Amino acid sequence: MSNATHEAAAAALANSPTHHALPSYLQADNLGPWGIYLQQVDRVIPYLGHLARWAETLKRPKRALVVDVPIQLDNGTVAHFEGYRVQHNTSRGPGKGGVRFHQDVTLSEVMALSAWMSIKNAAVNVPYGGAKGGIRVDPKTLSMGELERMTRRYTSEIGIIIGPTKDIPAPDVNTNEQIMAWMMDTYSMNEGATATGVVTGKPVDLGGSLGRREATGRGVFTVGAEAANHIGLDISKARVAVQGFGNVGGIAGKLFAEAGARIVAVQDHGGTIYREAGIDVPALMTYVSRNGSVKGFVGAEVVSDDSFWDVECDILIPAALEGQITAANAGRIKARMVIEGANGPTTPAADDILHDRNILVLPDVIANAGGVTVSYFEWVQDFSSFFWSEDEINARLVRIMKEAFAGVWQISQDYKVSLRTATFIIACKRILHARELRGLYP
Ligand code: GLU
């Protein structure tokens, strides 16, 4: 996105009836996740035509719930945690999005993550709005029993706004199939009937879907391979650097390695490792699943965390947390392509630097949409109580991801905008068109 268009977006905003001064978040790099999201929306307003009339809808979450989550700890004392569930938009269907457990979770972050879910779900055209939840907690400090009690109490507290046709949680950072099983059970107990469709990302034996665990990483790989074709990058010769080696980065790394790429660097909360000849990905996956991080893995050299941004590579996959690629390190990145496995890893200022340096950014709202796409398949399977084969699921996932990517690529060419702005244009138009058709109540 050029600065000129950015300025046009800012001017359009400044002239809109509800904004009289240029908001400060349009200048700073330190915006916070919600500020970043608002800036991303502002950038697409000039492309929305008559639907721009409804754009303010996108700047306000429909509903935000903050809950107290008290639990008894194993030592007999009581601890209180703060939990959130935000439904950003439900114009296109029920709220949908994950729940994260992390010590840095804030309401502003959950608001942004819920909004990115609205955009993502519209971008791949699954019939959902956007929602997200979280608890501010470091789950590593809890025993299994404490984790279960916290998950159940949180589910009960947000039970008034979730449900299979209202808002459907799923896994996100530090949450998994077991936590979804507890959420499903708690909601079902309160309802008096088993409601498998209240969450996705459940264990397969409880109405979960085959292929869901790998879906986000598979989607990252699928759109990465499509984009590589467009820019003439041969994946079988590509060098890949991955930040975050969990469900997303690990699976994406594995699929790239299977396609012949070399995974030269991996960074996670335990440190950064490098091997020019390529890291043995299956060995690293086994190691990380046993030890919790890459720390201590002997099959690669340990390097400083900061040097990760200088690694000679063709593809960089940030697959950890928000705000990782900033104006401070975007100028150092050597990759030709960044695939955002994480939500919100690149600040708008960094986005502009990468764009000016001709580094293609595949934005989160399309690149990591594979997870929620298979969540949608899981929800459909739960409703019909008829389950599909893994091959069927993967084939449908790849088809949806390729179609969505092709549409985004086309818009980016037509309007000469970044893939992020192109994705936002498609998604915001879908959301606001639905909003317009439904009309205002009353
Ligand atoms: N937490 C994932 C995401 O950010 C998946 C959400 C879902 O499946 O509902 O896309």
Side-chain angles (χ1 to χ4, degrees):
M1 159 75 82
S2 72
N3 281 338
T5 323
H6 182 178
E7 274 155 31
L13 181 80
N15 292 333
S16 79
T18 47
H19 291 84
H20 301 292
L22 202 68
S24 58
Y25 60 74
L26 281 174
Q27 289 122 32
D29 188 30
N30 183 19
L31 306 169
W34 180 249
I36 289 174
Y37 164 74
L38 289 176
Q39 191 174 96
Q40 291 166 344
V41 170
D42 286 336
R43 289 180 174 202
V44 303
I45 290 177
Y47 302 99
L48 297 180
H50 78 280
L51 291 171
R53 169 169 185 251
W54 297 100
E56 192 69 18
T57 301
L58 299 167
K59 297 186 175 184
R60 293 157 195 271
K62 173 186 172 63
R63 186 181 281 134
L65 180 63
V66 182
V67 294
D68 176 35
V69 185
I71 61 158
Q72 183 162 331
L73 298 179
D74 293 346
N75 66 12
T77 62
V78 176
H80 290 256
F81 301 98
E82 193 159 296
Y84 313 93
R85 185 72 188 171
V86 178
Q87 295 167 353
H88 171 259
N89 187 278
T90 55
S91 293
R92 301 180 65 257
K96 182 87 191 84
V99 171
R100 68 171 56 180
F101 292 168
H102 195 274
Q103 58 276 17
D104 297 332
V105 166
T106 62
L107 178 59
S108 153
E109 181 195 31
V110 179
M111 281 164 60
L113 291 164
S114 72
W116 285 324
M117 287 309 304
S118 298
I119 303 294
K120 190 186 302 186
N121 292 333
V124 287
N125 214 0
V126 292
Y128 293 133
K132 200 87 173 195
I135 304 180
R136 190 182 313 131
V137 61
D138 178 358
K140 288 190 283 298
T141 63
L142 300 181
S143 69
M144 202 63 162
E146 290 166 341
L147 187 64
E148 176 173 354
R149 292 196 289 282
M150 185 187 71
T151 302
R152 288 186 181 277
R153 180 61 186 255
Y154 167 72
T155 308
S156 190
E157 292 296 335
I158 66 166
I160 50 174
I161 62 167
I162 63 169
T165 59
K166 290 158 84 179
D167 178 4
I168 306 111
D172 197 77
V173 174
N174 291 337
T175 54
N176 58 21
E177 293 173 9
Q178 177 61 72
I179 285 166
M180 293 307 115
W182 290 328
M183 290 188 75
M184 189 277 270
D185 183 69
T186 305
Y187 180 85
S188 298
M189 287 295 141
N190 287 340
E191 290 292 300
T194 295
T196 52
V198 67
V199 293
T200 59
K202 298 178 294 293
V204 171
D205 291 337
L206 278 182
S209 179
L210 295 169
R212 174 63 186 85
R213 198 183 303 157
E214 300 80 19
T216 311
R218 190 174 295 281
V220 165
F221 172 74
T222 304
V223 295
E226 290 294 293
N229 267 339
H230 281 290
I231 62 169
L233 175 66
D234 182 352
I235 294 238
S236 70
K237 297 196 175 68
R239 296 158 304 172
V240 181
V242 187
Q243 187 194 44
F245 209 67
N247 195 32
V248 183
I251 301 291
K254 173 172 168 270
L255 294 173
F256 273 104
E258 282 171 7
R262 267 184 293 150
I263 311 305
V264 292
V266 175
Q267 175 172 86
D268 73 5
H269 58 271
T272 307
I273 56 174
Y274 177 80
R275 184 164 188 260
E276 199 188 340
I279 294 166
D280 178 343
V281 174
L284 183 61
M285 287 180 89
T286 309
Y287 183 86
V288 170
S289 70
R290 286 195 192 135
N291 299 282
S293 82
V294 301
K295 191 173 177 194
F297 180 69
V298 289
E301 158 195 356
V302 177
V303 295
S304 76
D305 285 343
D306 188 55
S307 68
F308 179 75
W309 305 108
D310 300 313
V311 164
E312 295 285 347
C313 62
D314 303 293
I315 300 174
L316 174 68
I317 308 178
L321 290 168
E322 302 95 76
Q324 298 300 301
I325 305 179
T326 65
N329 59 24
R332 293 161 55 189
I333 290 171
K334 307 282 194 303
R336 289 181 63 192
M337 183 159 95
V338 173
I339 317 176
E340 295 185 338
N343 289 310
T346 311
T347 66
D351 239 354
D352 289 342
I353 295 170
L354 296 175
H355 188 258
D356 291 345
R357 295 185 58 219
N358 212 12
I359 297 172
L360 187 68
V361 178
L362 273 60
D364 47 7
V365 281
I366 187 91
N368 71 30
V372 74
T373 301
V374 176
S375 276
Y376 166 57
F377 298 161
E378 178 173 332
W379 183 74
V380 169
Q381 292 172 84
D382 287 341
F383 267 110
S384 57
S385 294
F386 179 77
F387 292 89
W388 314 346
S389 73
E390 190 159 359
D391 284 349
E392 213 170 336
I393 285 155
N394 288 344
R396 286 182 200 252
L397 167 65
V398 167
R399 195 172 72 218
I400 288 183
M401 296 300 291
K402 283 187 176 175
E403 274 173 22
F405 181 78
V408 167
W409 186 269
Q410 192 57 49
I411 292 288
S412 82
Q413 301 289 305
D414 292 350
Y415 291 97
K416 308 223 174 330
V417 293
S418 69
L419 294 177
R420 189 185 317 280
T421 300
T423 311
F424 268 69
I425 292 172
I426 292 173
C428 292
K429 281 188 172 171
R430 284 188 181 142
I431 297 165
L432 298 179
H433 179 57
R435 214 251 167 283
E436 184 174 64
L437 285 172
R438 288 178 70 153
L440 274 181
Y441 171 82

Short mmCIF file of all heavy atoms in Angstrom, two decimals, residues 55-107:
data_model
loop_
_atom_site.label_atom_id
_atom_site.label_comp_id
_atom_site.label_asym_id
_atom_site.label_seq_id
_atom_site.Cartn_x
_atom_site.Cartn_y
_atom_site.Cartn_z
N ALA A 55 -18.97 1.51 7.30
CA ALA A 55 -17.64 1.09 7.76
C ALA A 55 -17.44 1.24 9.27
O ALA A 55 -16.69 0.47 9.89
CB ALA A 55 -16.56 1.87 7.02
N GLU A 56 -18.14 2.18 9.87
CA GLU A 56 -18.00 2.38 11.32
C GLU A 56 -18.36 1.09 12.09
O GLU A 56 -17.83 0.83 13.17
CB GLU A 56 -18.90 3.55 11.74
CG GLU A 56 -18.68 4.07 13.14
CD GLU A 56 -17.34 4.79 13.34
OE1 GLU A 56 -16.71 5.21 12.34
OE2 GLU A 56 -16.93 4.91 14.50
N THR A 57 -19.26 0.29 11.50
CA THR A 57 -19.62 -1.01 12.10
C THR A 57 -18.38 -1.83 12.42
O THR A 57 -18.31 -2.51 13.45
CB THR A 57 -20.47 -1.82 11.08
OG1 THR A 57 -21.63 -1.06 10.76
CG2 THR A 57 -20.85 -3.17 11.60
N LEU A 58 -17.40 -1.77 11.50
CA LEU A 58 -16.20 -2.61 11.65
C LEU A 58 -15.30 -2.12 12.76
O LEU A 58 -14.41 -2.83 13.22
CB LEU A 58 -15.41 -2.63 10.33
CG LEU A 58 -16.16 -3.20 9.12
CD1 LEU A 58 -15.41 -2.87 7.84
CD2 LEU A 58 -16.32 -4.71 9.28
N LYS A 59 -15.51 -0.87 13.18
CA LYS A 59 -14.61 -0.28 14.17
C LYS A 59 -15.12 -0.44 15.60
O LYS A 59 -14.55 0.13 16.52
CB LYS A 59 -14.42 1.21 13.86
CG LYS A 59 -13.75 1.44 12.53
CD LYS A 59 -13.48 2.91 12.38
CE LYS A 59 -12.70 3.17 11.12
NZ LYS A 59 -12.36 4.60 11.03
N ARG A 60 -16.22 -1.14 15.74
CA ARG A 60 -16.79 -1.35 17.08
C ARG A 60 -17.14 -2.82 17.25
O ARG A 60 -17.90 -3.35 16.44
CB ARG A 60 -18.09 -0.54 17.22
CG ARG A 60 -17.85 0.94 17.20
CD ARG A 60 -19.10 1.68 16.79
NE ARG A 60 -18.72 3.04 16.43
CZ ARG A 60 -18.66 4.04 17.32
NH1 ARG A 60 -18.97 3.83 18.56
NH2 ARG A 60 -18.29 5.22 16.92
N PRO A 61 -16.64 -3.47 18.30
CA PRO A 61 -17.10 -4.84 18.54
C PRO A 61 -18.58 -4.82 18.88
O PRO A 61 -19.05 -3.92 19.57
CB PRO A 61 -16.29 -5.29 19.75
CG PRO A 61 -15.22 -4.29 19.96
CD PRO A 61 -15.69 -3.01 19.32
N LYS A 62 -19.30 -5.81 18.37
CA LYS A 62 -20.73 -5.89 18.68
C LYS A 62 -20.94 -6.06 20.18
O LYS A 62 -21.81 -5.46 20.77
CB LYS A 62 -21.34 -7.08 17.93
CG LYS A 62 -22.79 -7.37 18.29
CD LYS A 62 -23.27 -8.65 17.61
CE LYS A 62 -24.64 -9.06 18.10
NZ LYS A 62 -25.68 -8.07 17.79
N ARG A 63 -20.12 -6.93 20.79
CA ARG A 63 -20.37 -7.27 22.20
C ARG A 63 -19.05 -7.72 22.81
O ARG A 63 -18.31 -8.49 22.19
CB ARG A 63 -21.36 -8.43 22.22
CG ARG A 63 -21.86 -8.87 23.55
CD ARG A 63 -22.82 -10.04 23.41
NE ARG A 63 -24.17 -9.66 23.00
CZ ARG A 63 -24.86 -10.27 22.04
NH1 ARG A 63 -24.35 -11.29 21.38
NH2 ARG A 63 -26.08 -9.88 21.74
N ALA A 64 -18.75 -7.23 24.01
CA ALA A 64 -17.52 -7.64 24.71
C ALA A 64 -17.87 -7.98 26.15
O ALA A 64 -18.49 -7.20 26.85
CB ALA A 64 -16.49 -6.53 24.67
N LEU A 65 -17.48 -9.17 26.57
CA LEU A 65 -17.80 -9.64 27.92
C LEU A 65 -16.51 -9.86 28.69
O LEU A 65 -15.61 -10.56 28.21
CB LEU A 65 -18.60 -10.95 27.81
CG LEU A 65 -19.05 -11.63 29.09
CD1 LEU A 65 -20.02 -10.75 29.87
CD2 LEU A 65 -19.72 -12.97 28.76
N VAL A 66 -16.40 -9.24 29.86
CA VAL A 66 -15.24 -9.44 30.74
C VAL A 66 -15.73 -10.23 31.94
O VAL A 66 -16.73 -9.84 32.55
CB VAL A 66 -14.64 -8.10 31.19
CG1 VAL A 66 -13.41 -8.33 32.07
CG2 VAL A 66 -14.28 -7.23 30.00
N VAL A 67 -15.06 -11.34 32.26
CA VAL A 67 -15.54 -12.17 33.36
C VAL A 67 -14.43 -12.43 34.38
O VAL A 67 -13.26 -12.51 34.04
CB VAL A 67 -16.10 -13.53 32.85
CG1 VAL A 67 -17.34 -13.32 32.01
CG2 VAL A 67 -15.06 -14.34 32.08
N ASP A 68 -14.86 -12.56 35.62
CA ASP A 68 -13.96 -12.99 36.69
C ASP A 68 -13.99 -14.51 36.72
O ASP A 68 -15.05 -15.12 36.64
CB ASP A 68 -14.47 -12.40 38.01
CG ASP A 68 -13.64 -12.87 39.19
OD1 ASP A 68 -12.41 -13.04 39.02
OD2 ASP A 68 -14.21 -13.07 40.28
N VAL A 69 -12.79 -15.11 36.79
CA VAL A 69 -12.72 -16.57 36.80
C VAL A 69 -12.00 -17.00 38.09
O VAL A 69 -10.78 -17.14 38.12
CB VAL A 69 -11.95 -17.10 35.56
CG1 VAL A 69 -11.99 -18.63 35.52
CG2 VAL A 69 -12.52 -16.51 34.27
N PRO A 70 -12.76 -17.19 39.18
CA PRO A 70 -12.12 -17.63 40.43
C PRO A 70 -12.02 -19.16 40.48
O PRO A 70 -12.97 -19.85 40.10
CB PRO A 70 -13.10 -17.11 41.49
CG PRO A 70 -14.43 -17.07 40.81
CD PRO A 70 -14.21 -16.96 39.33
N ILE A 71 -10.88 -19.66 40.92
CA ILE A 71 -10.76 -21.11 41.09
C ILE A 71 -10.01 -21.41 42.38
O ILE A 71 -9.22 -20.59 42.87
CB ILE A 71 -10.02 -21.81 39.92
CG1 ILE A 71 -8.57 -21.28 39.77
CG2 ILE A 71 -10.78 -21.69 38.62
CD1 ILE A 71 -7.66 -22.25 39.04
N GLN A 72 -10.25 -22.61 42.90
CA GLN A 72 -9.47 -23.04 44.05
C GLN A 72 -8.19 -23.70 43.54
O GLN A 72 -8.23 -24.62 42.71
CB GLN A 72 -10.27 -24.03 44.89
CG GLN A 72 -9.51 -24.43 46.14
CD GLN A 72 -10.42 -25.04 47.20
OE1 GLN A 72 -11.61 -24.74 47.29
NE2 GLN A 72 -9.84 -25.91 48.00
N LEU A 73 -7.05 -23.21 44.01
CA LEU A 73 -5.77 -23.81 43.62
C LEU A 73 -5.54 -25.09 44.43
O LEU A 73 -6.20 -25.33 45.44
CB LEU A 73 -4.62 -22.82 43.87
CG LEU A 73 -4.69 -21.51 43.08
CD1 LEU A 73 -3.51 -20.60 43.44
CD2 LEU A 73 -4.69 -21.77 41.57
N ASP A 74 -4.58 -25.88 43.99
CA ASP A 74 -4.31 -27.16 44.67
C ASP A 74 -3.89 -26.95 46.13
O ASP A 74 -4.09 -27.82 46.97
CB ASP A 74 -3.20 -27.92 43.93
CG ASP A 74 -3.66 -28.37 42.55
OD1 ASP A 74 -4.89 -28.33 42.30
OD2 ASP A 74 -2.81 -28.76 41.72
N ASN A 75 -3.30 -25.76 46.43
CA ASN A 75 -2.87 -25.52 47.81
C ASN A 75 -3.98 -24.97 48.69
O ASN A 75 -3.74 -24.54 49.81
CB ASN A 75 -1.65 -24.58 47.82
CG ASN A 75 -2.00 -23.17 47.32
OD1 ASN A 75 -3.18 -22.84 47.16
ND2 ASN A 75 -0.99 -22.37 47.07
N GLY A 76 -5.21 -24.95 48.17
CA GLY A 76 -6.36 -24.56 48.99
C GLY A 76 -6.72 -23.09 48.90
O GLY A 76 -7.80 -22.69 49.33
N THR A 77 -5.82 -22.25 48.36
CA THR A 77 -6.14 -20.82 48.23
C THR A 77 -6.98 -20.59 46.98
O THR A 77 -7.11 -21.47 46.12
CB THR A 77 -4.86 -19.96 48.14
OG1 THR A 77 -4.14 -20.35 46.98
CG2 THR A 77 -3.98 -20.13 49.38
N VAL A 78 -7.55 -19.38 46.90
CA VAL A 78 -8.40 -19.04 45.75
C VAL A 78 -7.65 -18.03 44.87
O VAL A 78 -7.07 -17.07 45.38
CB VAL A 78 -9.74 -18.44 46.22
CG1 VAL A 78 -10.59 -17.99 45.03
CG2 VAL A 78 -10.50 -19.46 47.06
N ALA A 79 -7.65 -18.27 43.55
CA ALA A 79 -7.01 -17.33 42.61
C ALA A 79 -8.07 -16.81 41.66
O ALA A 79 -9.01 -17.54 41.30
CB ALA A 79 -5.90 -18.03 41.83
N HIS A 80 -7.93 -15.55 41.28
CA HIS A 80 -8.87 -14.94 40.32
C HIS A 80 -8.14 -14.64 39.02
O HIS A 80 -7.06 -14.06 39.04
CB HIS A 80 -9.42 -13.62 40.88
CG HIS A 80 -10.35 -13.81 42.03
ND1 HIS A 80 -11.71 -13.71 41.92
CD2 HIS A 80 -10.09 -14.14 43.32
CE1 HIS A 80 -12.27 -13.95 43.10
NE2 HIS A 80 -11.30 -14.21 43.97
N PHE A 81 -8.75 -14.99 37.92
CA PHE A 81 -8.19 -14.67 36.60
C PHE A 81 -9.21 -13.83 35.84
O PHE A 81 -10.41 -13.93 36.09
CB PHE A 81 -7.87 -15.95 35.82
CG PHE A 81 -6.90 -16.84 36.53
CD1 PHE A 81 -7.35 -17.92 37.28
CD2 PHE A 81 -5.54 -16.58 36.50
CE1 PHE A 81 -6.46 -18.72 37.98
CE2 PHE A 81 -4.64 -17.37 37.19
CZ PHE A 81 -5.10 -18.46 37.93
N GLU A 82 -8.68 -13.01 34.92
CA GLU A 82 -9.60 -12.19 34.12
C GLU A 82 -9.79 -12.86 32.76
O GLU A 82 -8.80 -13.19 32.09
CB GLU A 82 -9.03 -10.78 33.95
CG GLU A 82 -10.06 -9.80 33.40
CD GLU A 82 -9.67 -8.35 33.70
OE1 GLU A 82 -9.62 -8.00 34.91
OE2 GLU A 82 -9.42 -7.61 32.75
N GLY A 83 -11.05 -13.05 32.38
CA GLY A 83 -11.35 -13.70 31.10
C GLY A 83 -12.19 -12.79 30.22
O GLY A 83 -12.84 -11.86 30.71
N TYR A 84 -12.14 -13.06 28.93
CA TYR A 84 -12.85 -12.23 27.95
C TYR A 84 -13.49 -13.11 26.88
O TYR A 84 -12.96 -14.16 26.52
CB TYR A 84 -11.88 -11.29 27.20
CG TYR A 84 -10.92 -10.56 28.10
CD1 TYR A 84 -9.66 -11.08 28.37
CD2 TYR A 84 -11.30 -9.35 28.69
CE1 TYR A 84 -8.78 -10.42 29.21
CE2 TYR A 84 -10.42 -8.69 29.54
CZ TYR A 84 -9.16 -9.22 29.79
OH TYR A 84 -8.30 -8.57 30.62
N ARG A 85 -14.60 -12.63 26.34
CA ARG A 85 -15.11 -13.15 25.07
C ARG A 85 -15.66 -11.94 24.31
O ARG A 85 -16.53 -11.23 24.83
CB ARG A 85 -16.20 -14.20 25.27
CG ARG A 85 -16.67 -14.86 23.97
CD ARG A 85 -15.64 -15.81 23.38
NE ARG A 85 -16.02 -16.31 22.05
CZ ARG A 85 -15.20 -17.02 21.26
NH1 ARG A 85 -13.98 -17.33 21.65
NH2 ARG A 85 -15.61 -17.41 20.07
N VAL A 86 -15.14 -11.71 23.14
CA VAL A 86 -15.57 -10.56 22.33
C VAL A 86 -16.17 -11.08 21.03
O VAL A 86 -15.57 -11.90 20.34
CB VAL A 86 -14.38 -9.61 22.02
CG1 VAL A 86 -14.85 -8.45 21.14
CG2 VAL A 86 -13.75 -9.09 23.30
N GLN A 87 -17.38 -10.60 20.72
CA GLN A 87 -18.00 -10.91 19.43
C GLN A 87 -17.91 -9.64 18.60
O GLN A 87 -18.60 -8.66 18.87
CB GLN A 87 -19.45 -11.36 19.62
CG GLN A 87 -19.51 -12.68 20.40
CD GLN A 87 -20.90 -13.02 20.91
OE1 GLN A 87 -21.83 -12.23 20.82
NE2 GLN A 87 -21.03 -14.22 21.47
N HIS A 88 -17.02 -9.65 17.64
CA HIS A 88 -16.78 -8.43 16.88
C HIS A 88 -17.92 -8.13 15.93
O HIS A 88 -18.40 -7.01 15.83
CB HIS A 88 -15.46 -8.52 16.12
CG HIS A 88 -15.25 -7.40 15.16
ND1 HIS A 88 -15.46 -7.53 13.81
CD2 HIS A 88 -14.90 -6.11 15.36
CE1 HIS A 88 -15.23 -6.36 13.22
NE2 HIS A 88 -14.88 -5.50 14.14
N ASN A 89 -18.33 -9.15 15.18
CA ASN A 89 -19.37 -8.93 14.17
C ASN A 89 -20.11 -10.23 13.92
O ASN A 89 -19.48 -11.29 13.87
CB ASN A 89 -18.73 -8.43 12.87
CG ASN A 89 -19.77 -8.01 11.85
OD1 ASN A 89 -20.32 -8.83 11.14
ND2 ASN A 89 -20.07 -6.72 11.80
N THR A 90 -21.43 -10.15 13.78
CA THR A 90 -22.20 -11.37 13.50
C THR A 90 -23.11 -11.17 12.29
O THR A 90 -24.11 -11.87 12.13
CB THR A 90 -23.04 -11.80 14.74
OG1 THR A 90 -23.86 -10.70 15.13
CG2 THR A 90 -22.16 -12.22 15.90
N SER A 91 -22.75 -10.24 11.42
CA SER A 91 -23.61 -9.97 10.25
C SER A 91 -23.71 -11.19 9.33
O SER A 91 -24.75 -11.43 8.73
CB SER A 91 -23.05 -8.80 9.44
OG SER A 91 -23.15 -7.60 10.17
N ARG A 92 -22.63 -11.97 9.22
CA ARG A 92 -22.63 -13.08 8.26
C ARG A 92 -22.92 -14.43 8.90
O ARG A 92 -22.94 -15.45 8.20
CB ARG A 92 -21.29 -13.15 7.51
CG ARG A 92 -20.95 -11.88 6.74
CD ARG A 92 -19.61 -11.99 6.03
NE ARG A 92 -19.61 -13.00 4.99
CZ ARG A 92 -19.07 -14.20 5.11
NH1 ARG A 92 -18.47 -14.57 6.22
NH2 ARG A 92 -19.14 -15.05 4.11
N GLY A 93 -23.12 -14.44 10.23
CA GLY A 93 -23.37 -15.71 10.90
C GLY A 93 -22.90 -15.62 12.34
O GLY A 93 -22.49 -14.56 12.81
N PRO A 94 -22.95 -16.76 13.06
CA PRO A 94 -22.53 -16.74 14.46
C PRO A 94 -21.08 -16.32 14.64
O PRO A 94 -20.27 -16.45 13.71
CB PRO A 94 -22.73 -18.19 14.91
CG PRO A 94 -23.01 -18.99 13.71
CD PRO A 94 -23.39 -18.08 12.59
N GLY A 95 -20.75 -15.84 15.81
CA GLY A 95 -19.35 -15.52 16.11
C GLY A 95 -18.52 -16.79 16.04
O GLY A 95 -19.01 -17.88 16.33
N LYS A 96 -17.26 -16.64 15.65
CA LYS A 96 -16.37 -17.82 15.57
C LYS A 96 -14.95 -17.38 15.77
O LYS A 96 -14.49 -16.42 15.14
CB LYS A 96 -16.50 -18.47 14.18
CG LYS A 96 -15.64 -19.72 14.02
CD LYS A 96 -16.38 -20.95 14.48
CE LYS A 96 -15.48 -22.18 14.60
NZ LYS A 96 -14.75 -22.24 15.90
N GLY A 97 -14.25 -18.09 16.63
CA GLY A 97 -12.84 -17.78 16.85
C GLY A 97 -12.35 -18.43 18.12
O GLY A 97 -13.14 -18.86 18.97
N GLY A 98 -11.05 -18.51 18.26
CA GLY A 98 -10.43 -19.28 19.33
C GLY A 98 -10.46 -18.63 20.69
O GLY A 98 -10.98 -17.53 20.90
N VAL A 99 -9.88 -19.37 21.64
CA VAL A 99 -9.68 -18.90 23.01
C VAL A 99 -8.21 -19.08 23.33
O VAL A 99 -7.67 -20.16 23.11
CB VAL A 99 -10.51 -19.75 24.00
CG1 VAL A 99 -10.14 -19.40 25.43
CG2 VAL A 99 -12.00 -19.56 23.78
N ARG A 100 -7.54 -18.02 23.81
CA ARG A 100 -6.14 -18.17 24.18
C ARG A 100 -5.91 -17.98 25.67
O ARG A 100 -6.59 -17.18 26.30
CB ARG A 100 -5.23 -17.26 23.35
CG ARG A 100 -5.35 -15.78 23.59
CD ARG A 100 -4.24 -15.02 22.87
NE ARG A 100 -4.21 -15.30 21.43
CZ ARG A 100 -3.34 -14.76 20.57
NH1 ARG A 100 -2.42 -13.92 21.02
NH2 ARG A 100 -3.39 -15.06 19.29
N PHE A 101 -4.97 -18.75 26.18
CA PHE A 101 -4.55 -18.60 27.58
C PHE A 101 -3.13 -18.06 27.52
O PHE A 101 -2.20 -18.75 27.08
CB PHE A 101 -4.53 -19.97 28.29
CG PHE A 101 -5.90 -20.60 28.49
CD1 PHE A 101 -6.00 -21.92 28.90
CD2 PHE A 101 -7.08 -19.89 28.31
CE1 PHE A 101 -7.23 -22.52 29.11
CE2 PHE A 101 -8.32 -20.47 28.51
CZ PHE A 101 -8.39 -21.80 28.91
N HIS A 102 -2.93 -16.82 27.95
CA HIS A 102 -1.59 -16.24 27.90
C HIS A 102 -1.50 -15.13 28.94
O HIS A 102 -2.48 -14.40 29.16
CB HIS A 102 -1.29 -15.71 26.49
CG HIS A 102 0.16 -15.42 26.25
ND1 HIS A 102 0.72 -14.22 26.58
CD2 HIS A 102 1.15 -16.18 25.74
CE1 HIS A 102 2.01 -14.26 26.28
NE2 HIS A 102 2.29 -15.44 25.77
N GLN A 103 -0.32 -14.99 29.50
CA GLN A 103 -0.14 -13.99 30.58
C GLN A 103 -0.28 -12.56 30.09
O GLN A 103 -0.48 -11.65 30.89
CB GLN A 103 1.21 -14.21 31.28
CG GLN A 103 2.45 -14.14 30.42
CD GLN A 103 2.78 -15.46 29.72
OE1 GLN A 103 1.94 -16.36 29.62
NE2 GLN A 103 4.01 -15.56 29.21
N ASP A 104 -0.18 -12.33 28.78
CA ASP A 104 -0.26 -10.96 28.26
C ASP A 104 -1.62 -10.63 27.66
O ASP A 104 -1.79 -9.57 27.05
CB ASP A 104 0.81 -10.73 27.19
CG ASP A 104 2.21 -10.87 27.75
OD1 ASP A 104 2.37 -10.60 28.97
OD2 ASP A 104 3.13 -11.25 27.01
N VAL A 105 -2.60 -11.52 27.76
CA VAL A 105 -3.91 -11.27 27.14
C VAL A 105 -4.55 -10.02 27.76
O VAL A 105 -4.56 -9.84 28.98
CB VAL A 105 -4.84 -12.49 27.32
CG1 VAL A 105 -6.29 -12.13 27.01
CG2 VAL A 105 -4.40 -13.64 26.43
N THR A 106 -5.06 -9.14 26.88
CA THR A 106 -5.80 -7.95 27.34
C THR A 106 -7.10 -7.85 26.54
O THR A 106 -7.23 -8.49 25.48
CB THR A 106 -5.01 -6.65 27.09
OG1 THR A 106 -4.81 -6.52 25.67
CG2 THR A 106 -3.68 -6.64 27.82
N LEU A 107 -8.00 -7.00 27.01
CA LEU A 107 -9.25 -6.80 26.28
C LEU A 107 -8.97 -6.25 24.88
O LEU A 107 -9.55 -6.70 23.89
CB LEU A 107 -10.17 -5.85 27.06
CG LEU A 107 -11.50 -5.52 26.37
CD1 LEU A 107 -12.32 -6.78 26.11
CD2 LEU A 107 -12.31 -4.53 27.21
#
